[in-house]
């Protein structure tokens, strides 16, 4: 671990596995639900970007002298559980999940790396995070398709809003589980949020509300 | 289609859809069958490369003034049928399929682009094919894992040899279907093989035999 603060291997590990599994799940959703080859290719493109992020994170973990597989292992259960509980039933649910899911991950990057925690992190990790964040707009295509579908059939909004809340609810409940199991990671995140993990949760929830609005779904009460 | 010989849009279309669907299927196999995260990441890496190839081919099709979705459409049925009939049952079958499947695709690139057909094809398409072929060694990891598994348990050879023959047999039968449905493509390939499609089949079969030997599986009679 050399000069990295405790919890950094955990942080990189959870993000690496999140990217790897997002890649594989998005590819699966693209195969199963895309209504056209163009759509399949678009969701596939998002998936391929996640794989590129995974490679960056894996290499960064290895460069810290940590085995990437070991760094990821504690997070396989919670992330697999999240995906199992949020398997999209159709194309629109897959799009909302792609946008909301990558959004949660990006908030997490930002919160974890750009606040206090970033201080002890080193230039290399910081530039890695910059690279990941650049790809944010790739999921914009999902926003456009969902908004177009809602314009055509406004009654879809209720179901998709519910779906979106379920995505974030399940993420928070898996996150709580992870925080209990990995105290060093929880401490690092709490520090990044100004000493309190509750603030991080509040901020993630607010950002989720903004994403729901972007999709044309009013945030829930 | 401008200055391209007839059948080129078909050829690029079948390859584009082959790459797109290989990407998605490999990702699925990686999720379902990889025994470790390292293995999952390795097969995922192969999948991500296929997506990059898909993008190259799609952009090349578009630059010919052809809609990529239309160029791919005639090949969705046969390629999906091939995958449906060759769904791997375990990790070793997934590895053999990854190696044999990308191998068939690469032979196909070589045969189609480097023989007579290449003459009327233009520099851009040729450099695209060069780029695709460079990635050939990426599937070598599959060879190493299969050979290691066979060393540990030589009795696996029979089942995997049978599996490998099924992969190529199903490919040839779908290929026959495609050749009947797309005469311009069949003609282009026949020309590439020196005027006779049978020669192409013979060559693909020989190359498949070499791949089986590389995997440590004796080619069938």
């Amino acid at each position: 671990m050399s000069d990295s603060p405790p919890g950094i291997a955990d942080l990189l590990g959870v993000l690496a596995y999140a990217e790897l599994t997002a890649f594989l799940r998005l590819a699966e959703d693209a195969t199963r639900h895309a209504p056209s080859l163009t759509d399949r290719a678009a969701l596939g493109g998002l998936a391929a970007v996640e794989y590129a992020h995974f490679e960056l994170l894996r290499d960064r973990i290895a460069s810290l002298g940590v085995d990437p597989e070991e760094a990821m292992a504690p997070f396989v259960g919670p992330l697999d559980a999240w995906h199992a509980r949020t398997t999209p039933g159709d194309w629109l649910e897959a799009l909302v999940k792609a946008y909301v899911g990558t959004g949660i991950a990006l908030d997490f990057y930002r919160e974890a790396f750009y606040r206090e925690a970033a201080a002890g992190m080193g230039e290399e990790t910081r530039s890695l995070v910059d690279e990941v964040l650049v790809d944010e707009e790739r999921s914009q295509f999902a926003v456009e398709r969902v908004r177009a579908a809602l314009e055509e059939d406004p009654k879809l909004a209720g179901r998709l809003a519910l779906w979106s809340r379920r995505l974030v609810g399940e993420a928070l409940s898996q996150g709580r589980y992870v925080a209990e199991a990995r105290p060093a990671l929880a401490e690092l995140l709490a520090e990044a949020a100004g000493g309190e993990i509750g603030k991080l949760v509040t901020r993630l929830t607010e950002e989720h509300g903004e994403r729901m609005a972007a999709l044309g779904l009013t945030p829930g009460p």
Side-chain angles (χ1 to χ4, degrees), chain A residues 3 17 35 75 79 81 110 112 126-127 176 188 197 204 217:
Chain A
D3 53 351
Y17 188 68
F75 309 106
L79 280 159
R110 254 189 241 102
R126 199 187 268 275
S127 72
R176 229 173 343 252
L188 183 143
I197 199 101
L204 292 178
L217 306 168

Side-chain angles (χ1 to χ4, degrees), chain A residues 37-52:
Chain A
L37 293 180
T38 303
D39 289 323
R40 201 185 289 180
L43 198 58
L46 208 59
V49 167
E50 307 283 2
Y51 186 81

Side-chain angles (χ1 to χ4, degrees), chain A residues 146-158:
Chain A
V146 172
R147 292 192 77 101
L150 287 171
E151 229 158 84
E152 212 166 285
D153 182 4
K155 278 176 300 182
L156 288 168

Side-chain angles (χ1 to χ4, degrees), chain A residues 141-211:
Chain A
F141 89 92
V143 175
E144 287 153 27
R145 314 265 164 128
V146 172
R147 292 192 77 101
L150 287 171
E151 229 158 84
E152 212 166 285
D153 182 4
K155 278 176 300 182
L156 288 168
R159 173 167 70 87
L160 293 179
L162 207 66
W163 171 245
S164 172
R165 280 199 288 278
R166 183 161 138 210
L167 291 169
V168 76
E170 293 286 355
L172 290 173
S173 91
Q174 293 302 324
R176 229 173 343 252
Y177 174 86
V178 167
E180 275 165 32
R182 310 299 295 182
L185 176 61
E187 202 176 311
L188 183 143
L189 290 172
E191 264 173 46
E196 215 190 305
I197 199 101
K199 281 191 193 162
L200 177 64
V201 173
T202 306
R203 227 160 21 224
L204 292 178
T205 309
E206 282 167 9
E207 281 152 350
H208 179 68
E210 282 166 28
R211 273 191 294 275

Side-chain angles (χ1 to χ4, degrees), chain A residues 122-135:
Chain A
E123 201 41 55
E124 270 178 78
T125 303
R126 199 187 268 275
S127 72
L128 179 158
V129 175
D130 285 337
E131 200 167 333
V132 168
L133 290 174
V134 162
D135 289 317

Side-chain angles (χ1 to χ4, degrees), chain A residues 75-99:
Chain A
F75 309 106
V76 171
L79 280 159
D80 284 359
W82 185 69
H83 281 289
R85 284 164 200 198
T86 60
T87 302
D90 62 20
W91 175 237
L92 288 173
E93 289 188 2
L95 287 175
V96 170
K97 182 175 175 183
Y99 179 63

